[in-house]
Coordinates of all heavy atoms in Angstrom, one line a residue:
M18 N 78.1 283.2 142.3 CA 78.0 284.6 142.7 C 76.9 284.7 143.8 O 75.8 284.1 143.7 CB 77.6 285.5 141.5 CG 77.6 287.0 141.8 SD 79.4 287.5 142.1 CE 79.1 289.1 142.7
L19 N 77.2 285.4 144.8 CA 76.3 285.5 146.0 C 75.2 286.5 145.6 O 75.5 287.6 145.1 CB 77.2 286.0 147.1 CG 77.1 285.4 148.4 CD1 77.7 283.9 148.3 CD2 77.9 286.1 149.5
T20 N 74.0 286.3 146.1 CA 73.0 287.3 146.0 C 72.9 288.0 147.3 O 73.5 287.7 148.4 CB 71.6 286.5 145.8 OG1 71.3 285.8 147.0 CG2 71.5 285.7 144.6
C21 N 72.2 289.1 147.3 CA 72.0 289.9 148.6 C 71.4 289.1 149.7 O 71.6 289.2 150.8 CB 71.2 291.2 148.2 SG 72.0 292.4 147.1
K22 N 70.4 288.3 149.2 CA 69.7 287.4 150.2 C 70.7 286.5 150.9 O 70.7 286.2 152.1 CB 68.6 286.7 149.4 CG 67.5 286.2 150.4 CD 66.4 285.7 149.6 CE 65.4 285.1 150.7 NZ 64.1 284.6 150.0
D23 N 71.7 285.8 150.0 CA 72.7 285.0 150.6 C 73.5 285.7 151.6 O 73.9 285.3 152.7 CB 73.6 284.4 149.6 CG 72.8 283.6 148.6 OD1 71.9 282.9 149.0 OD2 73.3 283.4 147.4
F24 N 73.8 287.0 151.1 CA 74.7 287.8 152.0 C 74.1 288.1 153.3 O 74.8 287.9 154.4 CB 75.1 289.2 151.3 CG 75.9 290.0 152.1 CD1 77.3 290.0 151.8 CD2 75.4 291.0 153.0 CE1 78.1 290.8 152.6 CE2 76.3 291.8 153.6 CZ 77.6 291.6 153.4
I25 N 72.8 288.5 153.3 CA 72.1 288.8 154.6 C 72.1 287.6 155.5 O 72.3 287.7 156.7 CB 70.7 289.4 154.2 CG1 70.8 290.6 153.5 CG2 69.9 289.5 155.6 CD1 71.3 291.8 154.2
S26 N 71.7 286.4 154.8 CA 71.7 285.2 155.7 C 73.0 284.7 156.2 O 72.9 284.1 157.3 CB 71.0 284.1 154.9 OG 71.8 283.7 153.9
E27 N 74.1 285.1 155.7 CA 75.4 284.7 156.2 C 76.0 285.8 157.1 O 77.1 285.6 157.7 CB 76.4 284.5 155.1 CG 75.9 283.3 154.1 CD 75.9 281.9 154.8 OE1 76.4 281.8 156.0 OE2 75.3 281.0 154.3
L28 N 75.3 286.9 157.1 CA 76.0 288.2 157.7 C 76.4 288.0 159.2 O 77.5 288.3 159.5 CB 75.1 289.4 157.5 CG 75.7 290.7 158.0 CD1 77.0 291.0 157.3 CD2 74.7 291.8 157.8
T29 N 75.5 287.4 160.0 CA 75.8 287.3 161.4 C 76.9 286.3 161.6 O 77.7 286.5 162.5 CB 74.5 286.9 162.3 OG1 73.9 285.8 161.6 CG2 73.5 288.0 162.3
D30 N 76.9 285.3 160.9 CA 78.1 284.4 161.0 C 79.4 285.0 160.6 O 80.5 284.8 161.2 CB 77.9 283.1 160.1 CG 76.9 282.1 160.8 OD1 76.5 282.3 161.9 OD2 76.6 281.1 160.1
Y31 N 79.4 285.8 159.5 CA 80.5 286.5 159.0 C 81.0 287.5 160.1 O 82.2 287.5 160.4 CB 80.1 287.3 157.7 CG 81.1 288.3 157.3 CD1 82.4 287.9 156.8 CD2 81.0 289.6 157.4 CE1 83.4 288.8 156.4 CE2 82.0 290.6 157.1 CZ 83.1 290.1 156.5 OH 84.1 291.0 156.2
L32 N 80.1 288.2 160.7 CA 80.6 289.1 161.7 C 81.0 288.5 163.0 O 81.9 289.0 163.8 CB 79.3 290.1 162.1 CG 79.0 291.1 161.0 CD1 77.7 291.9 161.3 CD2 80.2 292.0 160.6
D33 N 80.6 287.2 163.2 CA 81.1 286.5 164.4 C 82.3 285.6 164.0 O 82.8 284.8 164.8 CB 80.0 285.5 164.9 CG 79.0 286.3 165.9 OD1 79.4 287.3 166.2 OD2 78.0 285.7 166.1
E34 N 82.7 285.8 162.7 CA 83.9 285.1 162.2 C 83.7 283.6 162.3 O 84.6 282.8 162.6 CB 85.2 285.5 162.9 CG 85.4 287.0 162.6 CD 86.7 287.5 163.3 OE1 87.4 286.7 164.0 OE2 87.0 288.7 163.2
R35 N 82.4 283.1 162.0 CA 82.2 281.7 162.0 C 82.1 281.2 160.6 O 81.9 279.9 160.4 CB 80.9 281.4 162.7 CG 81.0 281.5 164.2 CD 79.7 281.2 164.9 NE 78.8 282.2 164.6 CZ 77.4 282.2 165.0 NH1 77.0 281.1 165.4 NH2 76.7 283.3 164.8
T36 N 82.3 282.0 159.5 CA 82.3 281.5 158.2 C 83.7 280.9 157.7 O 84.7 281.4 158.4 CB 81.9 282.6 157.2 OG1 82.7 283.7 157.4 CG2 80.5 283.1 157.3
D37 N 83.8 280.0 156.8 CA 85.1 279.5 156.4 C 85.7 280.6 155.4 O 85.0 281.5 155.0 CB 85.0 278.1 155.7 CG 84.0 278.1 154.6 OD1 84.1 279.0 153.7 OD2 83.3 277.1 154.4
A38 N 86.9 280.4 155.1 CA 87.7 281.4 154.4 C 87.1 281.7 153.1 O 87.0 282.7 152.6 CB 89.1 281.0 154.3
D39 N 86.6 280.6 152.4 CA 86.1 280.7 151.1 C 84.8 281.6 151.1 O 84.7 282.5 150.3 CB 85.8 279.3 150.6 CG 85.3 279.3 149.1 OD1 85.9 279.9 148.3 OD2 84.2 278.7 148.8
L40 N 83.9 281.2 152.0 CA 82.7 282.0 152.1 C 83.0 283.5 152.4 O 82.4 284.4 151.9 CB 81.7 281.4 153.1 CG 80.3 282.1 153.3 CD1 79.6 282.2 152.0 CD2 79.5 281.4 154.4
R41 N 83.9 283.6 153.4 CA 84.3 285.0 153.8 C 84.7 285.8 152.6 O 84.4 287.0 152.5 CB 85.4 284.8 154.8 CG 85.7 286.0 155.7 CD 86.7 285.7 156.6 NE 87.1 287.0 157.4 CZ 86.3 287.4 158.4 NH1 85.3 286.7 158.9 NH2 86.5 288.6 158.9
T42 N 85.6 285.2 151.7 CA 86.1 285.9 150.6 C 84.9 286.3 149.7 O 84.9 287.5 149.2 CB 87.0 285.0 149.8 OG1 88.0 284.6 150.7 CG2 87.7 285.7 148.6
K43 N 83.9 285.4 149.5 CA 82.7 285.7 148.6 C 82.0 286.8 149.2 O 81.4 287.7 148.5 CB 81.9 284.5 148.6 CG 82.5 283.4 147.6 CD 81.6 282.2 147.5 CE 82.2 281.1 146.8 NZ 81.5 279.8 147.0
L44 N 81.7 286.8 150.5 CA 80.9 287.8 151.2 C 81.7 289.2 151.1 O 81.0 290.2 150.7 CB 80.8 287.6 152.7 CG 79.9 286.3 153.0 CD1 79.9 286.0 154.5 CD2 78.4 286.6 152.6
E45 N 83.0 289.2 151.2 CA 83.7 290.5 151.1 C 83.7 291.0 149.7 O 83.7 292.2 149.5 CB 85.2 290.3 151.6 CG 85.3 290.3 153.2 CD 86.5 289.9 153.8 OE1 87.4 289.4 153.0 OE2 86.6 289.9 155.0
K46 N 83.8 290.1 148.7 CA 83.7 290.5 147.3 C 82.3 291.0 147.0 O 82.2 292.1 146.3 CB 83.9 289.2 146.4 CG 84.4 289.6 145.1 CD 84.7 288.3 144.3 CE 84.9 288.7 142.8 NZ 85.0 287.5 142.0
H47 N 81.2 290.5 147.6 CA 79.9 290.9 147.4 C 79.8 292.3 148.0 O 79.2 293.3 147.3 CB 78.8 290.0 148.0 CG 77.4 290.6 147.8 ND1 76.7 290.2 146.7 CD2 76.7 291.3 148.5 CE1 75.5 290.8 146.7 NE2 75.4 291.5 147.8
M48 N 80.4 292.5 149.2 CA 80.2 293.8 149.9 C 80.9 294.9 149.0 O 80.5 296.0 149.0 CB 80.9 293.7 151.2 CG 80.0 294.1 152.3 SD 80.9 294.3 153.9 CE 81.8 292.8 154.0
A49 N 82.1 294.5 148.5 CA 82.8 295.5 147.6 C 82.1 296.0 146.4 O 82.2 297.1 146.0 CB 84.2 294.8 147.2
E50 N 81.1 295.1 146.0 CA 80.4 295.4 144.7 C 79.0 295.9 145.0 O 78.3 296.4 144.1 CB 80.3 294.2 143.8 CG 81.7 293.9 143.3 CD 81.7 292.4 142.7 OE1 80.7 291.7 142.8 OE2 82.7 292.0 142.1
C51 N 78.6 295.8 146.3 CA 77.2 296.0 146.5 C 77.1 297.0 147.7 O 77.2 296.6 148.9 CB 76.4 294.8 146.9 SG 74.7 295.0 147.2
P52 N 76.9 298.3 147.4 CA 76.9 299.4 148.5 C 75.8 299.1 149.5 O 76.0 299.4 150.7 CB 76.6 300.7 147.8 CG 76.9 300.4 146.4 CD 76.8 298.9 146.1
N53 N 74.7 298.6 149.1 CA 73.6 298.3 150.1 C 74.0 297.2 151.1 O 73.7 297.5 152.3 CB 72.4 297.7 149.3 CG 71.5 298.8 148.7 OD1 71.2 299.8 149.5 ND2 71.3 298.7 147.5
C54 N 74.6 296.2 150.7 CA 75.0 295.2 151.7 C 76.1 295.6 152.5 O 76.3 295.3 153.7 CB 75.4 293.9 150.9 SG 74.0 293.1 150.3
W55 N 77.0 296.5 152.0 CA 78.1 297.1 152.7 C 77.4 297.9 153.9 O 77.9 297.8 155.0 CB 79.0 298.0 151.9 CG 80.1 298.5 152.7 CD1 81.3 297.9 152.8 CD2 80.1 299.8 153.5 NE1 82.1 298.7 153.8 CE2 81.4 299.8 154.1 CE3 79.2 300.8 153.7 CZ2 81.8 300.9 155.0 CZ3 79.5 301.9 154.5 CH2 80.8 301.9 155.1
V56 N 76.4 298.7 153.6 CA 75.7 299.5 154.6 C 75.1 298.6 155.6 O 75.2 298.8 156.9 CB 74.6 300.4 154.0 CG1 73.7 301.1 155.1 CG2 75.4 301.6 153.2
V57 N 74.4 297.6 155.2 CA 73.8 296.6 156.1 C 74.8 295.9 157.0 O 74.6 295.9 158.2 CB 73.0 295.6 155.4 CG1 72.4 294.5 156.2 CG2 71.8 296.1 154.6
C58 N 75.9 295.6 156.4 CA 76.9 294.9 157.2 C 77.5 295.9 158.3 O 77.7 295.5 159.4 CB 78.1 294.5 156.3 SG 79.5 293.8 157.1
D59 N 77.8 297.1 157.8 CA 78.4 298.1 158.7 C 77.4 298.4 159.8 O 77.8 298.5 161.1 CB 78.6 299.4 157.9 CG 79.5 300.4 158.7 OD1 80.5 300.0 159.1 OD2 79.1 301.5 158.8
T60 N 76.1 298.5 159.5 CA 75.1 298.8 160.5 C 74.9 297.6 161.5 O 74.9 297.8 162.7 CB 73.7 299.1 159.8 OG1 73.8 300.0 158.8 CG2 72.6 299.6 160.8
T61 N 74.9 296.5 161.0 CA 74.8 295.3 161.8 C 76.0 295.1 162.7 O 75.9 294.8 163.9 CB 74.7 294.0 161.0 OG1 73.7 294.2 160.1 CG2 74.4 292.8 161.8
R62 N 77.2 295.4 162.2 CA 78.4 295.2 163.0 C 78.4 296.2 164.2 O 78.7 295.9 165.3 CB 79.7 295.6 162.1 CG 80.9 295.2 162.7 CD 82.2 295.9 162.0 NE 82.1 295.9 160.7 CZ 82.7 295.0 159.8 NH1 83.5 294.1 160.4 NH2 82.7 295.2 158.5
K63 N 77.9 297.4 164.0 CA 77.9 298.5 165.0 C 76.7 298.1 166.0 O 77.0 298.2 167.2 CB 77.5 299.8 164.4 CG 78.7 300.5 163.8 CD 78.3 301.8 163.1 CE 79.5 302.3 162.3 NZ 79.0 303.3 161.3
T64 N 75.7 297.5 165.5 CA 74.6 297.1 166.4 C 75.1 296.0 167.3 O 74.8 296.0 168.5 CB 73.3 296.6 165.6 OG1 73.1 297.7 164.6 CG2 72.2 296.3 166.5
I65 N 75.8 295.0 166.7 CA 76.3 293.9 167.5 C 77.3 294.4 168.5 O 77.2 294.0 169.7 CB 76.9 292.8 166.5 CG1 75.8 292.2 165.7 CG2 77.8 291.9 167.3 CD1 76.4 291.3 164.6
S66 N 78.1 295.3 168.2 CA 79.1 295.7 169.1 C 78.5 296.5 170.2 O 78.9 296.4 171.4 CB 80.3 296.6 168.5 OG 79.9 297.8 168.1
V67 N 77.5 297.3 170.0 CA 76.8 298.0 171.0 C 76.1 297.0 171.9 O 76.3 297.0 173.2 CB 75.7 298.9 170.5 CG1 74.7 299.4 171.5 CG2 76.4 300.1 169.8
Y68 N 75.5 296.0 171.3 CA 74.9 294.9 172.1 C 75.9 294.2 173.0 O 75.6 293.9 174.1 CB 74.2 293.9 171.2 CG 73.4 292.9 171.9 CD1 72.2 293.1 172.4 CD2 74.0 291.6 172.1 CE1 71.5 292.1 173.0 CE2 73.3 290.6 172.9 CZ 72.1 290.9 173.3 OH 71.5 289.9 174.0
K69 N 76.9 293.8 172.4 CA 77.9 293.1 173.1 C 78.6 293.9 174.2 O 78.8 293.3 175.4 CB 79.2 292.7 172.2 CG 78.9 291.4 171.4 CD 80.1 291.0 170.6 CE 79.8 289.8 169.8 NZ 80.8 289.4 168.8
D70 N 78.8 295.2 174.1 CA 79.3 296.1 175.1 C 78.4 296.0 176.2 O 78.7 296.1 177.4 CB 79.5 297.4 174.5 CG 80.7 297.5 173.7 OD1 81.5 296.6 173.8 OD2 80.9 298.7 173.1
H71 N 77.1 296.0 175.9 CA 76.1 296.1 176.9 C 75.8 294.9 177.7 O 75.8 294.9 178.9 CB 74.7 296.5 176.2 CG 73.5 296.7 177.2 ND1 73.5 297.7 178.1 CD2 72.4 296.0 177.4 CE1 72.4 297.6 178.8 NE2 71.8 296.6 178.4
E72 N 75.9 293.8 176.9 CA 75.6 292.5 177.7 C 76.8 291.7 178.0 O 76.8 290.8 178.7 CB 74.7 291.7 176.7 CG 73.3 292.2 176.5 CD 72.4 292.0 177.8 OE1 72.7 291.0 178.5 OE2 71.5 292.9 178.0
K73 N 77.9 292.0 177.4 CA 79.1 291.1 177.5 C 78.8 289.7 177.1 O 79.3 288.8 177.8 CB 79.8 291.2 178.8 CG 80.2 292.7 179.2 CD 81.4 293.1 178.5 CE 81.8 294.5 178.9 NZ 82.4 295.3 177.9
A74 N 78.0 289.6 176.1 CA 77.6 288.2 175.7 C 78.3 287.9 174.4 O 78.8 288.7 173.7 CB 76.1 288.2 175.5
C75 N 78.5 286.5 174.2 CA 79.3 286.1 173.0 C 78.3 285.9 171.8 O 78.7 285.7 170.7 CB 80.0 284.8 173.3 SG 79.0 283.5 173.7
C76 N 77.0 285.8 172.0 CA 76.1 285.7 170.8 C 74.8 286.5 171.1 O 74.4 286.8 172.2 CB 75.8 284.2 170.6 SG 75.1 283.4 172.1
I77 N 74.2 286.8 169.9 CA 72.9 287.4 170.0 C 71.7 286.4 170.1 O 71.7 285.5 169.4 CB 72.7 288.3 168.7 CG1 73.9 289.4 168.7 CG2 71.4 289.0 168.7 CD1 73.8 290.2 167.5
P78 N 70.8 286.7 171.0 CA 69.7 285.8 171.1 C 68.9 285.7 169.7 O 68.9 286.7 169.0 CB 68.7 286.4 172.1 CG 69.6 287.3 172.9 CD 70.8 287.7 172.0
S79 N 68.4 284.5 169.3 CA 67.9 284.3 168.0 C 66.6 285.3 167.8 O 66.4 285.7 166.7 CB 67.4 282.9 167.8 OG 66.5 282.5 168.8
D80 N 65.9 285.7 168.8 CA 64.8 286.6 168.6 C 65.2 288.0 168.2 O 64.6 288.6 167.3 CB 63.8 286.6 169.8 CG 64.5 287.2 171.0 OD1 65.6 286.9 171.3 OD2 63.8 288.0 171.7
V81 N 66.4 288.4 168.8 CA 67.0 289.7 168.4 C 67.5 289.6 167.0 O 67.3 290.6 166.2 CB 68.1 290.1 169.4 CG1 68.7 291.3 169.0 CG2 67.6 290.3 170.8
Q82 N 68.1 288.6 166.8 CA 68.8 288.4 165.3 C 67.6 288.4 164.3 O 67.8 289.1 163.2 CB 69.4 287.0 165.3 CG 70.8 287.1 164.9 CD 71.4 285.7 164.9 OE1 71.0 284.8 164.3 NE2 72.4 285.5 165.8
T83 N 66.5 287.8 164.6 CA 65.4 287.7 163.7 C 64.8 289.1 163.4 O 64.6 289.5 162.3 CB 64.3 286.8 164.2 OG1 64.9 285.5 164.5 CG2 63.2 286.6 163.2
R84 N 64.7 289.9 164.5 CA 64.2 291.2 164.5 C 65.1 292.1 163.6 O 64.6 292.9 162.9 CB 63.9 291.8 165.8 CG 62.4 291.6 166.3 CD 62.2 292.2 167.6 NE 62.9 291.5 168.7 CZ 63.3 292.0 169.9 NH1 63.0 293.3 170.1 NH2 63.9 291.4 170.8
L85 N 66.4 292.0 163.9 CA 67.3 292.7 163.2 C 67.2 292.5 161.7 O 67.2 293.4 160.9 CB 68.8 292.4 163.7 CG 69.3 293.1 164.8 CD1 70.7 292.6 165.2 CD2 69.5 294.7 164.4
L86 N 67.2 291.2 161.4 CA 67.2 290.8 160.0 C 66.0 291.3 159.3 O 66.0 291.8 158.2 CB 67.3 289.3 159.8 CG 68.8 288.7 160.2 CD1 68.7 287.1 160.0 CD2 69.8 289.3 159.3
L87 N 64.9 291.2 160.0 CA 63.6 291.7 159.4 C 63.6 293.2 159.2 O 63.2 293.7 158.2 CB 62.4 291.3 160.3 CG 61.9 289.9 160.3 CD1 60.9 289.7 161.4 CD2 61.3 289.5 158.9
A88 N 64.2 293.9 160.1 CA 64.3 295.4 160.0 C 65.2 295.7 158.8 O 64.9 296.6 158.0 CB 64.9 295.9 161.3
F89 N 66.3 295.0 158.6 CA 67.2 295.2 157.5 C 66.6 294.8 156.2 O 66.7 295.6 155.2 CB 68.6 294.5 157.7 CG 69.3 295.1 158.9 CD1 70.0 294.2 159.8 CD2 69.5 296.4 159.0 CE1 70.7 294.7 160.8 CE2 70.2 296.9 160.1 CZ 70.9 296.1 160.9
E90 N 65.9 293.8 156.2 CA 65.2 293.4 155.0 C 64.2 294.4 154.5 O 64.2 294.8 153.3 CB 64.4 292.0 155.2 CG 65.3 290.8 155.1 CD 65.8 290.6 153.7 OE1 65.2 291.0 152.8 OE2 66.9 289.9 153.6
K91 N 63.5 295.0 155.5 CA 62.5 296.0 155.2 C 63.2 297.3 154.7 O 62.8 297.8 153.6 CB 61.7 296.4 156.4 CG 60.4 295.6 156.6 CD 59.6 296.2 157.7 CE 58.8 295.1 158.4 NZ 58.4 295.5 159.7
M92 N 64.3 297.6 155.3 CA 65.0 298.8 155.0 C 65.6 298.6 153.6 O 65.5 299.5 152.7 CB 66.2 298.9 155.9 CG 67.1 300.2 155.8 SD 68.4 300.2 157.0 CE 69.5 299.1 156.3
R93 N 66.0 297.5 153.2 CA 66.6 297.2 152.0 C 65.6 297.2 150.8 O 65.7 297.7 149.8 CB 67.4 295.9 152.0 CG 68.7 295.9 151.2 CD 69.6 294.7 151.7 NE 68.8 293.5 151.8 CZ 68.4 292.7 150.8 NH1 68.8 293.0 149.6 NH2 67.7 291.6 151.0
A94 N 64.4 296.5 151.2 CA 63.3 296.4 150.2 C 62.8 297.8 149.9 O 62.3 298.0 148.7 CB 62.2 295.5 150.8
A95 N 62.8 298.7 150.8 CA 62.2 300.0 150.7 C 63.2 300.8 149.7 O 62.7 301.7 149.0 CB 62.1 300.8 152.0
K96 N 64.4 300.5 149.7 CA 65.4 301.4 149.0 C 65.8 300.7 147.7 O 66.2 301.5 146.7 CB 66.7 301.5 149.8 CG 66.5 302.5 150.9 CD 67.9 302.7 151.5 CE 67.8 303.6 152.8 NZ 68.9 303.6 153.7
T97 N 65.7 299.5 147.5 CA 66.2 298.8 146.3 C 65.2 297.8 145.7 O 64.4 297.2 146.5 CB 67.5 298.1 146.6 OG1 67.2 297.1 147.6 CG2 68.6 299.0 147.0
K98 N 65.4 297.6 144.5 CA 64.6 296.4 144.0 C 65.6 295.2 143.9 O 66.6 295.3 143.3 CB 64.2 296.8 142.5 CG 63.0 297.7 142.5 CD 62.2 297.6 141.1 CE 60.9 298.3 141.1 NZ 61.1 299.7 140.9
V99 N 65.3 294.2 144.6 CA 66.1 293.0 144.6 C 66.1 292.3 143.4 O 64.9 291.9 142.9 CB 65.8 292.2 145.9 CG1 66.8 290.9 145.8 CG2 66.0 292.9 147.2
V100 N 67.2 292.1 142.7 CA 67.1 291.3 141.5 C 67.2 289.8 141.7 O 68.0 289.4 142.4 CB 68.4 291.7 140.6 CG1 68.4 291.0 139.2 CG2 68.5 293.2 140.4
Ligands
ZN204 ZN1 74.1 292.9 148.0

């Protein structure tokens, strides 16, 4: 079973469709059961699409990715107690 931390760490790969089918299924299953991760995924997806529209780039620079992940971690930590 995937934890929220696993989900977050795989999220950018998932959104870039770089995960294998097995992992993808697990991530989707986690999202279906975890509203928090669904929100994080949805927000990240939108952020990425805005970024891509702006830059027409195929990937997010790692510093942006790190900042995004940190922001989401903080947001999540403020709202939920991670088990
Ligand atoms: Zn979760």
